[in-house]
């Protein structure tokens, strides 16, 4: 029964996190500041290539494939290049959502004290970690593509759009 409570709780916070991420203002966040920038050890996302991320990221569930009416497909051909600033910001929102899901998942320790709750927390973190890594890998790549395709940084692009 405690397993079921934890699973229902994690499903609920996942749904709430998705909706909350969709409601954030479009100009937020600034991918060139603070946490959203690549850390030096990440080497602009290249560190994740050692984890073979190119091979497995396409196999991970993607909300744009599950709910296409709520999230546009992440295609870069055609008009997709015009969506690069939005896609870059979406990587920040997705990363934040998965970090918050990890944090909120700690409540499973209250729902199921002992080893069971600890296992649920670990599984929740392990379930969210690949999505965090995908966002941290893709964001610098998308920023480089934006700069190559327009000659502008995302910050300059945001000033033109808004």
């Amino acid at each position: 029964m405690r397993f079921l409570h934890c699973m229902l709780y994690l499903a609920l916070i996942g749904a709430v996190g998705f909706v909350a991420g969709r409601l954030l203002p479009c100009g937020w966040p600034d991918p060139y500041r603070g946490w959203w920038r690549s850390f030096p050890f990440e080497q602009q996302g290249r560190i994740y290539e050692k984890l073979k991320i190119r091979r497995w990221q396409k196999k991970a569930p993607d909300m744009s494939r599950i709910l296409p009416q709520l999230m546009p497909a992440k295609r870069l051909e055609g008009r997709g290049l015009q969506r690069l600033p939005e896609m870059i910001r979406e990587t920040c929102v997705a990363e934040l959502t998965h970090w918050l899901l990890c944090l909120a998942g700690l409540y499973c320790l209250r729902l199921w004290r002992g080893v069971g709750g600890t296992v649920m927390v670990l599984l929740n973190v392990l379930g969210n970690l690949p999505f965090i890594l995908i966002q941290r890998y893709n964001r610098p790549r998308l920023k480089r593509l934006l700069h190559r395709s327009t000659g502008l940084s995302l910050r300059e692009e945001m000033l033109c759009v808004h």
Side-chain angles (χ1 to χ4, degrees), residues 95-113:
E95 181 183 347
L96 175 65
T97 300
H98 285 284
W99 277 117
L100 291 175
L101 291 175
C102 288
L103 186 62
L106 292 173
Y107 188 69
C108 285
L109 294 172
R110 286 200 72 180
L111 293 174
W112 190 358
R113 298 197 188 276

Side-chain angles (χ1 to χ4, degrees), residues 22 28-29 31 35-36 71 74 84-99 131-132 134-143 154:
R22 303 288 4 131
W28 184 92
W35 179 261
W36 312 118
M71 295 191 69
K74 295 171 178 77
L84 274 173
E86 177 187 350
M87 291 172 73
I88 293 167
R89 285 189 299 272
E90 282 179 9
T91 66
C92 298
V93 171
E95 181 183 347
L96 175 65
T97 300
H98 285 284
W99 277 117
F131 299 99
I132 293 168
I134 289 169
Q135 305 315 317
R136 297 211 55 91
Y137 171 67
N138 284 328
R139 187 164 38 254
R141 294 173 62 226
L142 291 171
K143 290 194 304 192
L154 178 59

Side-chain angles (χ1 to χ4, degrees), residues 3-156:
F3 172 77
L4 183 60
H5 286 149
C6 285
M7 290 303 295
L8 289 172
Y9 170 73
L10 293 173
L12 176 66
I13 65 170
V16 168
F18 173 75
V19 171
R22 303 288 4 131
L23 296 176
L24 287 172
C26 73
W28 184 92
D30 181 350
Y32 286 93
R33 297 179 61 143
W35 179 261
W36 312 118
R37 293 186 337 218
S38 286
F39 295 109
F41 77 89
E42 291 177 295
Q43 303 163 4
Q44 292 297 309
R46 288 186 283 283
I47 187 91
Y48 303 114
E49 291 173 4
K50 293 178 182 175
L51 299 173
K52 311 276 190 238
I53 197 167
R54 280 184 191 256
R55 219 182 298 168
W56 57 262
Q57 78 170 337
K58 289 184 175 108
K59 296 175 184 169
D62 181 346
M63 290 306 281
S64 68
R65 289 191 301 248
I66 296 168
L67 297 169
Q69 62 278 16
L70 293 178
M71 295 191 69
K74 295 171 178 77
R75 293 193 182 101
L76 292 177
E77 61 270 355
R79 293 181 43 99
L81 287 174
Q82 295 171 342
R83 289 195 53 246
L84 274 173
E86 177 187 350
M87 291 172 73
I88 293 167
R89 285 189 299 272
E90 282 179 9
T91 66
C92 298
V93 171
E95 181 183 347
L96 175 65
T97 300
H98 285 284
W99 277 117
L100 291 175
L101 291 175
C102 288
L103 186 62
L106 292 173
Y107 188 69
C108 285
L109 294 172
R110 286 200 72 180
L111 293 174
W112 190 358
R113 298 197 188 276
V115 175
T118 303
V119 169
M120 292 301 287
V121 168
L122 288 174
L123 290 174
N124 180 49
V125 169
L126 290 174
N128 281 290
L129 189 59
F131 299 99
I132 293 168
L133 297 179
I134 289 169
Q135 305 315 317
R136 297 211 55 91
Y137 171 67
N138 284 328
R139 187 164 38 254
R141 294 173 62 226
L142 291 171
K143 290 194 304 192
R144 283 192 301 273
L145 182 59
L146 175 68
H147 184 70
R148 278 197 310 266
S149 66
T150 65
L152 297 174
S153 71
L154 178 59
R155 182 170 285 140
E156 293 167 324

